[in-house]
Amino acid sequence: MKNLIISFTILFGFGLSAFAQEKSNKEVKGDKYFFTYSYDKAILSYKHSKQLTFPGQRRLAESYFIMGQNAQAEETYLKLVNASNGVIPEDYFNYAMVLKNSGKYAESTIWLDKFQSQAPTDLRAISYSNNKLQFPDYLTNDVDCKIIKQSINTDAQDFGTSYYNDKIVYASSNAKPKMIKRTYNWNGQPFLNLYIADVEDGQLKNPEFFNKDLNDKMHEGPASFSNGGTKMAFTRNNEKDKSKDKIVELQIFLSEFKEGKWSDAIPFVYNNTEYSVGHPFLTLDGKTMYFASDMPGGFGGTDLYKSNLSENGEWLTPVNMGILINTEGDEMFPFFEEDQQILSFASNGHFGMGGLDIFNCASNGADWGLINNPGSPINTQYDDYAQIFNSKTNKGYMSSNRTDGSGNDDIYAFEIAPKAIVNKIIIGIAKDTQGKAIPGTFVSLFDEQDTLLAYILADDLGAYQFSVVTDKNFELTGTKEYYLDGSIVTSSYGVEDTIVANLTLLQDEVEEEVVIVPEDLVVDKDLAKLVKLKP
């Protein structure tokens, strides 16, 4: 399920790149297979074409990558990036991602540098520039984090966990043989269904279908629950999709547990046959839904959105979660831990270790703070995604296609030592030299490399707050009209969870400038400017 949105957006992007070369019949056939996620068949068609167009070469490289044939993907991308013409920045980025997936980090950096030079304003390039010096820290294995393989995993796809009372619900393609066998084009495996499992001694046990009535003949899952497990949102393909693009997009469906059973699934009001809407996460009270979508108007790829439930029970227009969270790449699998107000999501756009990485971000009230990559062992050179966790127990689950699993995508539990999971808080008040609060001060937070991490306007009492990671140095600066900028250096070392860092701003004692107004000018006091009279 994680690849459905990704594949669609990559295909869309390639369609925008024209190349002055006529397609062969084999390439046209390969495109049709690629378009319907039959990547193995697409590879065969592309390989039998005597000469591919530039878009055909890209799709062949992407097909190899999706099918896990990294050596062939590297070779095909290398031909693209070394071509004399027709190369676009995206080729450099995709080649770098393939190299990362092969563990060739030094080579990957070379092509990310090329990508950054060609597309310096791309959010992925900015993330790379801001975080590349921290990459050695990502590779250092965190001894305070323990990864636990789950015996429930099969050689099929097992991923996308969610909390359901004291059990775990997840998605799996581990279907039992039936008289009529349905398989999904991309990997030849059965379609996904929702399963439920017990939790015993750190392992998921006794898996069974979550609800046979909700398991349709296409993909179901992942899912999310709210209101004490009585309300549910889950991802499903729209089997009735008759749109011209011939792609069956993801959609969100809702169900409620009443009188001992789950109600018929109701489509989310913002589903659309022209784009995908999926990977929902419901807050505990069911009043906010986070989800992923490639709807028009985003930053590129799939973005994270949220929708709030109105008082009359209607979902409000989804809001894009903004430039701090989303990139031109893919952001998906949101999870919001409400005790510590931490958003977890997967991304291949933010700089990471390869494939999809898991990122965490603390809420700063109306905005979001530092995007944190937890590094190894949570993240690897492969796809790591769909993290859920409980800050009270310091335990959680994630999904990954790393090579030590049972095959394909697998579920892993993890346990984190308390000190490793803590996101500390920096609080303070912007004041003048007399100790009087300065409301509306623009406060910025910088790291040791002078990289802007977050910013916020101080409230009516001059107060501000940031969530930060442990064992780092920071600088805060405050800016306000009629005041000189103030700054303070602080750190998150030590045992304190809350760090106080007040800012002091000096009043700007600028001498009042005397302006001599010509006779043909008049002062517009309301707009505070000089207006030239017309002759």
Side-chain angles (χ1 to χ4, degrees):
M1 185 66 75
K2 76 177 181 349
N3 289 284
L4 292 179
I5 294 181
I6 295 177
S7 301
F8 172 75
T9 56
I10 289 173
L11 177 61
F12 179 77
F14 289 161
L16 297 176
S17 178
F19 192 76
Q21 182 179 346
E22 187 176 348
K23 294 183 180 182
S24 67
N25 290 334
K26 289 290 185 181
E27 182 174 344
V28 172
K29 189 174 182 179
D31 288 347
K32 291 180 179 179
Y33 286 131
F34 185 95
F35 199 67
T36 56
Y37 311 122
S38 299
Y39 299 112
D40 53 345
K41 295 179 181 178
I43 290 172
L44 291 175
S45 293
Y46 289 141
K47 286 174 63 177
H48 285 90
S49 177
K50 292 182 179 179
Q51 188 176 12
L52 292 173
T53 64
F54 234 89
Q57 289 279 357
R58 289 191 181 101
R59 289 170 181 160
L60 175 58
E62 180 63 24
S63 297
Y64 278 135
F65 185 54
I66 291 175
M67 295 302 295
Q69 301 177 37
N70 263 34
Q72 294 87 337
E74 284 185 41
E75 181 181 352
T76 309
Y77 270 123
L78 185 59
K79 292 179 181 178
L80 284 174
V81 298
N82 285 329
S84 58
N85 55 56
V87 182
I88 58 176
E90 198 73 14
D91 296 327
Y92 297 138
F93 182 83
N94 288 334
Y95 183 41
M97 294 302 102
V98 172
L99 290 169
K100 270 190 178 183
N101 199 254
S102 297
K104 300 178 180 180
Y105 292 126
E107 293 180 48
S108 174
T109 298
I110 294 173
W111 296 99
L112 283 175
D113 285 337
K114 289 181 179 290
F115 172 70
Q116 182 187 3
S117 67
Q118 293 293 316
T121 61
D122 190 292
L123 295 173
R124 295 168 297 179
I126 295 172
S127 178
Y128 167 65
S129 178
N130 289 343
N131 296 285
K132 60 183 178 181
L133 294 180
Q134 300 179 34
F135 188 70
D137 294 335
Y138 298 165
L139 297 176
T140 302
N141 194 63
D142 186 354
V143 296
D144 293 316
C145 181
K146 180 181 179 182
I147 303 294
I148 307 167
K149 299 178 185 178
Q150 295 298 293
S151 58
I152 200 175
N153 290 324
T154 67
D155 58 358
Q157 290 177 292
D158 307 290
F159 71 98
T161 52
S162 60
Y163 293 115
Y164 178 64
N165 298 324
D166 59 348
K167 299 179 182 292
I168 292 293
V169 172
Y170 66 100
S172 177
S173 58
N174 184 33
K176 296 179 180 179
K178 296 181 179 180
M179 293 295 293
I180 300 176
K181 185 178 180 181
R182 297 188 308 275
T183 59
Y184 175 46
N185 286 344
W186 171 55
N187 53 16
Q189 293 190 358
F191 281 85
L192 297 168
N193 286 310
L194 288 173
Y195 286 76
I196 187 170
D198 299 322
V199 180
E200 298 178 6
D201 300 323
Q203 289 287 335
L204 300 181
K205 300 285 186 68
N206 310 317
E208 58 184 28
F209 280 126
F210 174 71
N211 186 288
K212 292 183 179 180
D213 293 333
L214 290 178
N215 282 335
D216 209 318
K217 64 182 180 181
M218 298 191 76
H219 286 297
E220 276 82 37
S224 177
F225 301 89
S226 70
N227 300 84
T230 61
K231 293 186 178 180
M232 170 188 184
F234 64 97
T235 307
R236 172 188 283 174
N237 287 125
N238 178 20
E239 62 175 305
K240 299 179 181 179
D241 187 354
K242 304 297 182 182
S243 58
K244 295 180 180 180
D245 62 15
K246 304 300 181 183
I247 293 178
V248 180
E249 274 79 20
L250 305 183
Q251 295 192 337
I252 293 173
F253 286 81
L254 307 170
S255 182
E256 189 170 358
F257 194 75
K258 292 181 177 180
E259 298 178 355
K261 65 178 183 178
W262 288 97
S263 65
D264 292 339
I266 300 173
F268 181 45
V269 65
Y270 295 104
N271 287 343
N272 195 299
T273 58
E274 300 301 320
Y275 51 80
S276 286
V277 178
H279 303 170
F281 174 78
L282 293 170
T283 54
L284 294 176
D285 60 7
K287 294 182 179 180
T288 300
M289 183 195 297
Y290 297 89
F291 62 90
S293 176
D294 58 354
M295 68 175 66
F299 292 94
T302 60
D303 284 0
L304 296 187
Y305 291 80
K306 75 172 183 177
S307 175
N308 293 322
L309 193 66
S310 68
E311 293 184 359
N312 60 4
E314 296 180 355
W315 289 103
L316 302 179
T317 303
V319 176
N320 188 292
M321 295 187 66
I323 199 170
L324 295 178
I325 302 294
N326 293 314
T327 70
E328 289 87 348
D330 298 293
E331 283 71 47
M332 50 183 61
F333 292 101
F335 173 85
F336 189 63
E337 207 285 330
E338 296 186 50
D339 286 339
Q340 292 194 346
Q341 297 285 291
I342 296 175
L343 175 71
S344 174
F345 62 97
S347 172
N348 59 17
H350 291 282
F351 181 62
M353 297 178 64
L356 289 169
D357 269 22
I358 291 169
F359 294 86
N360 298 312
C361 180
S363 172
N364 283 330
D367 215 330
W368 299 96
L370 172 68
I371 301 290
N372 176 45
N373 186 322
S376 178
I378 292 293
N379 289 320
T380 65
Q381 67 197 63
Y382 306 104
D383 285 331
D384 307 290
Y385 61 99
Q387 174 181 271
I388 65 173
F389 64 94
N390 185 328
S391 63
K392 294 178 180 178
T393 63
N394 295 335
K395 297 179 180 180
Y397 297 89
M398 53 173 286
S399 304
S400 177
N401 65 350
R402 59 188 67 185
T403 56
D404 64 353
S406 300
N408 216 301
D409 297 276
D410 288 318
I411 297 169
Y412 294 80
F414 63 87
E415 297 180 6
I416 303 178
K419 68 175 184 178
I421 200 171
V422 168
N423 274 264
K424 296 188 176 183
I425 305 296
I426 295 178
I427 63 172
I429 298 176
K431 305 176 181 179
D432 62 17
T433 54
Q434 305 300 316
K436 183 179 179 181
I438 309 175
T441 299
F442 187 85
V443 184
S444 302
L445 177 71
F446 296 87
D447 66 9
E448 296 169 333
Q449 286 78 40
D450 293 327
T451 300
L452 177 63
L453 303 177
Y455 54 84
I456 194 172
L457 284 178
D459 64 17
D460 292 341
L461 299 177
Y464 50 85
Q465 175 178 309
F466 296 100
S467 294
V468 297
V469 295
T470 59
D471 299 337
K472 297 289 183 180
N473 295 313
F474 302 95
E475 181 180 6
L476 290 84
T477 64
T479 302
K480 178 70 175 179
E481 189 179 12
Y482 306 123
Y483 290 86
L484 299 176
D485 291 355
S487 66
I488 185 173
V489 175
T490 187
S491 77
S492 57
Y493 290 92
V495 298
E496 297 83 3
D497 291 338
T498 302
I499 303 105
V500 179
N502 295 321
L503 282 167
T504 300
L505 281 65
L506 298 175
Q507 193 158 7
D508 192 359
E509 297 179 357
V510 179
E511 293 185 3
E512 185 177 354
E513 184 178 357
V514 177
V515 179
I516 300 176
V517 182
E519 292 182 358
D520 62 342
L521 293 178
V522 63
V523 177
D524 184 339
K525 295 181 179 179
D526 292 334
L527 298 179
K529 66 180 180 180
L530 297 177
V531 181
K532 182 78 174 181
L533 289 175
K534 294 182 179 180

